[in-house]
Amino acid sequence: MTPTSDGPSGGNGPHPHGIAGAIDGGLQPCWQCGQDVGARALFCHGCGAVLPPRALDPFTRLGVEQHFDLDLAVLGRQLAGFTRALDPARFAARGPRQQANARAQAEAMAQAHATLHDPLQRARTLLRRAGVDLLPADPARDPDTASLAASLASGGAAAVDQVAAEAARLTEEGIRALADAFRHGRTGAAARLLARLEALEAVTAAALARRSGSAPPP
């Protein structure tokens, strides 16, 4: 049977973890036969040709619900299913264009998975979809982060380890608070927490660079 499903399982019904309803972007004609196909379609419903990826947000591309508390196991299964369906070797007899489309679709799926697997990137995606203005990640605006940055700038090897450990603790705490803000629809609070977490991320990266010796001490 020619695969025509939008999802990795090959069925024509909605995926159990998918998003119901119309997808932004509308219908476009298949490059091979001209039949209209949906934005999430991997294969043409008419001729079965592998389609090039459309511009989609990562939640829509992987067919998972658009919220912060994602089940990462489900996310991984979605990627694995799509990766199997889009193995370019399956389309060797269809010519280089369909193989290239399959490869591009698989790469787009992998990038969507990487985005959603990271809690900060996931939060950025959700806030952008909600039309919330993102705040700059400025360590000087947050007392805890500013203190860690100052300790890192003035301390030795022991201070680097302490900064990295404290930044990791504050990051875990902040991600829990970020999840709570999304659960309760407090997008303004989520934007402020995201800015704090991004500043902590920058301090953590600087500490790890100092620890590995790839960045000289100030």
Side-chain angles (χ1 to χ4, degrees):
M1 178 181 294
T2 299
T4 59
S5 172
D6 289 351
S9 61
N12 291 321
H15 192 278
H17 301 287
I19 303 170
I23 300 297
D24 290 343
L27 301 176
Q28 285 190 2
C30 168
W31 63 270
Q32 180 164 274
C33 72
Q35 176 167 317
D36 285 342
V37 290
R40 279 194 62 217
L42 304 179
F43 309 98
C44 175
H45 302 290
C47 68
V50 187
L51 302 169
R54 298 266 297 275
L56 298 171
D57 74 84
F59 292 95
T60 300
R61 190 175 301 284
L62 283 171
V64 294
E65 295 179 0
Q66 296 173 18
H67 56 67
F68 186 80
D69 292 317
L70 283 182
D71 185 331
L72 296 184
V74 169
L75 191 67
R77 288 195 296 271
Q78 286 290 89
L79 177 64
F82 282 122
T83 300
R84 287 192 298 271
L86 294 165
D87 183 353
R90 295 183 58 194
F91 310 104
R94 299 197 191 183
R97 180 164 182 177
Q98 295 204 48
Q99 284 187 298
N101 285 348
R103 191 173 298 108
Q105 288 275 15
E107 289 171 355
M109 294 291 178
Q111 180 57 53
H113 178 271
T115 296
L116 296 185
H117 196 273
D118 180 271
L120 303 194
Q121 292 191 59
R122 192 189 319 145
R124 281 194 288 271
T125 302
L126 285 167
L127 290 171
R128 288 192 185 106
R129 283 187 62 86
V132 177
D133 291 333
L134 301 183
L135 304 174
D138 182 2
R141 295 180 61 179
D142 178 73
D144 290 333
T145 311
S147 176
L148 290 176
S151 297
L152 185 63
S154 61
V160 171
D161 290 340
Q162 290 173 358
V163 166
E166 181 63 8
R169 186 189 70 78
L170 290 173
T171 296
E172 290 180 8
E173 181 183 274
I175 290 172
R176 288 194 295 270
L178 185 62
D180 187 69
F182 276 114
R183 286 186 207 111
H184 292 89
R186 293 185 280 110
T187 54
R192 291 189 294 274
L193 285 163
L194 176 60
R196 171 180 163 89
L197 286 164
E198 288 176 333
L200 283 167
E201 186 177 53
V203 171
T204 300
L208 293 177
R210 282 277 302 279
R211 181 187 286 170
S212 67
S214 59

